[in-house]
Amino acid sequence: MRHGQAVPQAPRDSLRALTAHGRQEALDSAGQLLGRPLQAMLVSPFVRARQTAEMVCQALDYRGIIEIHDWLTPDSDVRQALDRLAERQEDDLLLVTHQPLVGALAGLLVHGHRQEPLPMQTGSLAGLEGEMILAGGLVLKHLHHPGQ
């Protein structure tokens, strides 16, 4: 999931907070997760991603594992993120992160290469499924853009 819309200005990019519209986008996409057996939520340390995760937790009444990871920031290395995800034991994870990382990572997981990133608008949610987290190893089940 990509974070909801954020304010355009802040002292640092990592401090940009969600707008009212961004909070609504987060709630919209959270609705797509109702009934999912979510086992863990992995979140960027940036304010807008943490706020998005909070909105999702509230909407789902989720009280499970929430981890903040520095490897989920906008310009993080896609291969490092893939390696970190491959280490996970959970079957149902939610990442709350940023572009360009989220689109590039999802594209790599689905297509096996980085030339076809998934189009992720603010608040977009991509549902990927498969047996193993590896390049080209997952199938895109749905791609939800808030308000559409």
Side-chain angles (χ1 to χ4, degrees):
M1 178 176 189
R2 182 179 177 194
H3 63 80
Q5 180 189 71
V7 298
Q9 299 287 321
R12 288 192 314 273
D13 182 47
S14 62
L15 298 177
R16 292 174 46 221
L18 291 180
T19 62
H21 180 71
R23 288 190 292 279
Q24 187 57 48
E25 288 176 325
L27 290 174
D28 182 310
S29 285
Q32 302 296 308
L33 296 168
L34 288 170
R36 295 283 316 195
L38 189 60
Q39 295 174 309
M41 189 178 301
L42 310 181
V43 183
S44 161
F46 286 25
V47 169
R48 59 193 179 272
R50 287 185 292 130
Q51 289 175 326
T52 298
E54 289 169 11
M55 299 297 297
V56 171
C57 287
Q58 289 174 0
L60 301 178
D61 195 29
Y62 176 76
R63 301 178 198 283
I65 297 167
I66 301 170
E67 298 176 6
I68 307 297
H69 291 284
D70 288 338
W71 52 269
L72 288 172
T73 59
D75 297 317
S76 291
D77 180 79
V78 174
R79 290 284 178 183
Q80 179 189 16
L82 181 63
D83 290 345
R84 296 289 178 98
L85 287 174
E87 296 169 357
R88 304 297 300 204
Q89 299 301 311
E90 297 90 353
D91 291 326
D92 212 329
L93 292 171
L94 176 66
L95 306 183
V96 182
T97 186
H98 313 264
Q99 278 290 59
L101 177 66
V102 68
L105 179 59
L108 179 62
L109 287 165
V110 171
H111 304 297
H113 56 77
R114 295 173 59 179
Q115 288 72 39
E116 225 177 311
L118 289 186
M120 299 290 288
Q121 302 168 10
T122 56
S124 288
L125 175 70
L128 308 178
E129 291 184 8
E131 293 299 314
M132 296 181 65
I133 297 178
L134 51 86
L138 300 183
V139 174
L140 177 64
K141 291 303 211 176
H142 63 85
L143 181 56
H144 174 76
H145 301 295
Q148 294 183 358

